[in-house]
Amino acid sequence: MDQAARNRGTAQPEAVPGEITILGLHKAYESRKSRFEALRDIRLTVGGNEFLTILGPSGCGKSTLLRIVAGLEDASSGTVLLDGEEVIGPGADRGMVFQGYTLFPWLTVRENIEYGLKLRGVPILDRRGVSSYLLRVIKLEAFDKAYPKQLSGGMKQRVAIARALANRPKVLLMDEPFGALDAQTKLEMQEMLLDVWEKEKTTVLFITHDIDEAIFLSQRIVVMGAGPGRILKEFQVRLPAERTPEVRERPEFLALKRELAQLLKH
Amino acid sequence: MHPPKRRKPPRFQIYKDIGNKPYAITAGLSFVFLLAVWSLLSYTEAVNPVFLPQPQRVLMELIRQLGSAEYWNHIGISVFRVSAGFALACLIGIPIGILAGTFKFGEALVEPPMEFIRYMPAVAFIPLIMVWAGIGEWAKILLIFIGCFFQLVLMVADNTRRVSQDLLHASFTLGAGRWKAIETVIIPAIQPQLMNTMRLILGWAWTYLVVAELVAVSSGLGFAIMKAQRFLNTEQIFVGIIVIGLLGLISDRIFAFLNRRLFPWA
């Protein structure tokens, strides 16, 4: 955070860490008989500290794109840069929250959050400090000793977010993290996520097919289309930085929602 | 007008829990049933008592044998052979199984030959084992080892392959490399299943013990059974079978207990 502030002071806006650059990315799945083009010529830059959402119907390759950025899949051609350096394979600098529940069931909530720190050999007292802070942020202090099976879906995803953030990643990659939650929990989670993003100031690359979610959360929305997966259009979200639930009723919100719905219909 | 009649839900529901008490009663009844069939056949002398001794005579014999130091020696040596063969199979088989389940190279290296060998009856190895290891303790342990090892490797490999990909990917995005992922994800994740596999294999070990003790031995429960057979002492044969059954049951219960104690998160 101090690093970011200092960099901002040096009048080089592109020096804010956590900038993702995706250059001419293609992805095709080939078998002997067929070839499926999942992604065609994706070019995208996500600025440091930006909250960018990729919105698209299922099957448009948005998850594949995210997994390539995470390093979990290889692109057929093209590159992904993080702060100017090519991304090769997964790493702790790109934390990820998955759609399914991926907490380690044999670890308690606190141990899950500390997992990445423990891997890096951070001493236990420092780990405790970080996990206590994050438990407070996600409002689950009372559950630090619980096992994942004792948590509700929303709580599990909150822990998953905290686990990714504990590593202080430059980028947080989120693959429809709230897709499996009920409507009410989903809204609460969205507000919590913005709160966390406000505090942690990391770049967020968020994926969803939920238009409301995309508008409410993002500074910028990139719409993808299917067959082959490609970027259709880009939108700046002109809403106040402070996103309260009332934001959803503002005319700008509704206008953008209509426009996005129209675009996704085709 | 009568209130609408509510039909009672049927007692036999697919997969549905029936509660501890009905479960225990049903289990007890099935033992009672077995005993009843046995009593019926033996007390009416429908079957020659030389072939099927009466339950109460077997019980007397059991009490008499358990009162003798000699029989406890048989039990001791048998437990030792089973434990040694089983432990050896686990010590070598589990790491190989994990590697075969984790890496495709490991699978290719290990599984095809094992699939081939496991269909060879372990009993057919007896003559070979006697050539290799003589007729000492090692011969018995080796037979139990051969009977368990190949099955164990294949089952452990299968357990390993069932670990969720998402958990692995989560660990990669939290900074784990391949070996760390094996250590911190695959090994903890397979443990409950591994215990079940070991439970099953331990059952096999007891089966092979008896086979091992049928040839060229002068101690152990299998030997006791063989000796009894020579004198057509069916009571003693029954006692031997029941004692082995009880030992198997005890070891099985210990595994079940450990499973609940060690893995409260599962």
Side-chain angles (χ1 to χ4, degrees):
Chain A
M1 237 182 296
D2 325 328
Q3 183 82 42
R6 235 177 291 130
N7 282 339
R8 238 168 286 167
T10 57
Q12 272 188 313
E14 65 268 43
V16 178
E19 184 185 80
I20 306 169
T21 315
I22 300 169
L23 297 169
L25 200 77
H26 289 261
K27 175 73 181 179
Y29 295 96
E30 276 175 86
S31 70
R32 221 176 310 156
K33 283 194 195 118
S34 63
R35 182 170 192 280
F36 173 71
E37 199 177 4
L39 293 172
R40 177 184 288 175
D41 195 26
I42 305 291
R43 295 154 191 280
L44 181 65
T45 299
V46 190
N49 295 356
E50 187 178 16
F51 198 125
L52 184 134
T53 295
I54 297 176
L55 179 69
S58 52
C60 72
K62 57 193 192 299
S63 276
T64 306
L65 176 60
L66 196 74
R67 294 170 65 82
I68 291 171
V69 175
L72 295 172
E73 272 185 60
D74 294 326
S76 303
S77 67
T79 43
V80 177
L81 305 177
L82 175 58
D83 290 336
E85 275 185 51
E86 189 171 351
V87 160
I88 300 163
D93 51 357
R94 283 150 291 138
M96 183 147 171
V97 180
F98 297 78
Q99 180 177 15
Y101 304 127
T102 58
L103 295 182
F104 303 119
W106 54 90
L107 300 180
T108 63
V109 165
R110 188 187 281 277
E111 288 165 343
N112 262 288
I113 295 174
E114 292 179 4
Y115 176 88
L117 300 173
K118 201 173 169 190
L119 277 182
R120 275 192 281 150
V122 174
I124 183 154
L125 282 178
D126 298 347
R127 291 204 311 257
R128 283 293 115 104
V130 173
S131 60
S132 294
Y133 163 73
L134 286 168
L135 279 166
R136 228 171 15 250
V137 170
I138 60 169
K139 301 190 176 68
L140 284 178
E141 294 115 304
F143 290 85
D144 63 332
K145 290 188 187 69
Y147 285 104
K149 73 166 179 183
Q150 296 163 284
L151 305 181
S152 69
M155 289 155 110
K156 282 182 197 166
Q157 289 306 68
R158 274 191 267 169
V159 178
I161 292 169
R163 181 177 67 174
L165 288 173
N167 271 336
R168 295 227 145 220
K170 292 178 173 173
V171 180
L172 190 57
L173 306 170
M174 307 187 83
D175 187 4
E176 302 201 39
F178 310 143
L181 304 178
D182 64 82
Q184 188 54 41
T185 312
K186 200 171 183 179
L187 298 185
E188 285 164 19
M189 294 291 289
Q190 290 166 1
E191 283 171 46
M192 189 223 62
L193 176 61
L194 284 180
D195 193 41
V196 168
W197 175 63
E198 200 62 40
K199 287 193 177 101
E200 295 294 311
K201 278 295 167 216
T202 127
T203 307
V204 179
L205 183 52
F206 192 97
I207 279 188
T208 187
H209 60 253
D210 180 333
I211 296 175
D212 284 77
E213 182 167 75
I215 304 173
F216 183 70
L217 291 174
S218 335
Q219 296 176 309
R220 193 150 58 102
I221 297 173
V222 168
V223 180
M224 281 182 69
R230 64 206 187 279
I231 291 176
L232 295 179
K233 214 171 166 185
E234 211 182 288
F235 297 86
Q236 283 291 334
V237 180
R238 302 191 193 287
L239 287 170
E242 179 80 19
R243 304 280 166 96
T244 52
E246 294 76 54
V247 161
R248 293 171 199 276
E249 261 112 76
R250 292 176 76 110
E252 306 95 297
F253 189 103
L254 299 171
L256 183 53
K257 184 175 170 179
R258 253 197 309 280
E259 197 175 351
L260 288 170
Q262 198 64 34
L263 186 61
L264 285 177
K265 234 189 258 173
H266 300 299
Chain B
M1 285 294 279
H2 295 289
K5 250 200 191 159
R6 282 194 53 192
R7 270 208 287 158
K8 257 183 139 184
R11 197 174 279 274
F12 296 103
Q13 301 247 29
I14 295 170
Y15 298 146
K16 200 170 157 76
D17 254 326
I18 54 171
N20 283 335
K21 215 171 146 195
Y23 193 94
I25 291 171
T26 312
L29 281 177
S30 74
F31 274 105
V32 170
F33 175 74
L34 272 175
L35 200 64
V37 172
W38 180 11
S39 302
L40 192 75
L41 291 175
S42 58
Y43 286 120
T44 61
E45 304 214 343
V47 179
N48 188 334
V50 175
F51 300 145
L52 189 69
Q54 293 163 356
Q56 121 263 1
R57 299 191 52 173
V58 172
L59 188 68
M60 301 294 284
E61 183 66 24
L62 178 68
I63 292 166
R64 203 178 64 78
Q65 293 288 12
L66 291 183
S68 79
E70 196 200 344
Y71 211 74
W72 281 101
N73 279 337
H74 287 319
I75 293 177
I77 191 79
S78 287
V79 169
F80 164 74
R81 286 167 185 157
V82 165
S83 313
F86 175 71
L88 203 61
C90 288
L91 219 62
I92 305 175
I94 291 174
I96 293 179
I98 290 174
L99 288 179
T102 309
F103 297 109
K104 282 288 164 195
F105 276 115
E107 181 184 321
L109 192 68
V110 169
E111 293 211 2
M114 297 241 166
E115 290 282 1
F116 174 53
I117 296 172
R118 77 162 166 158
Y119 285 108
M120 304 178 182
V123 184
F125 281 91
I126 291 177
L128 203 55
I129 288 171
M130 284 163 88
V131 173
W132 288 342
I135 53 170
E137 275 319 293
W138 275 109
K140 283 104 202 161
I141 294 170
L142 196 59
L143 180 73
I144 294 170
F145 173 80
I146 289 177
C148 297
F149 177 73
F150 299 100
Q151 293 289 342
L152 183 67
V153 169
L154 293 173
M155 287 173 75
V156 171
D158 192 56
N159 292 158
T160 308
R161 270 191 292 271
R162 276 170 208 276
V163 173
S164 141
Q165 283 263 334
D166 278 353
L167 288 187
L168 270 181
H169 286 160
S171 80
F172 290 151
T173 62
L174 291 164
R178 280 168 305 164
W179 297 102
K180 274 287 171 194
I182 293 177
E183 178 195 328
T184 62
V185 178
I186 290 184
I187 289 177
I190 62 170
Q191 280 173 12
Q193 272 309 308
L194 187 63
M195 285 292 258
N196 275 329
T197 299
M198 285 167 71
R199 243 170 101 180
L200 267 167
I201 296 290
L202 187 59
W204 290 64
W206 280 102
T207 311
Y208 287 113
L209 167 83
V210 179
V211 178
E213 288 182 345
L214 290 180
V215 249
V217 275
S218 55
S219 62
L221 290 166
F223 166 73
I225 292 174
M226 277 304 284
K227 201 177 71 181
Q229 185 226 4
R230 246 174 274 153
F231 298 104
L232 219 61
N233 187 344
T234 31
E235 282 103 15
Q236 254 191 50
I237 297 180
F238 266 69
V239 168
I241 293 171
I242 290 172
V243 168
I244 290 174
L246 286 174
L247 288 171
L249 188 67
I250 291 169
S251 53
D252 188 76
R253 288 293 90 195
I254 291 174
F255 264 98
F257 172 76
L258 284 179
N259 228 357
R260 276 198 305 274
R261 266 324 266 285
L262 293 176
F263 314 118
W265 49 267

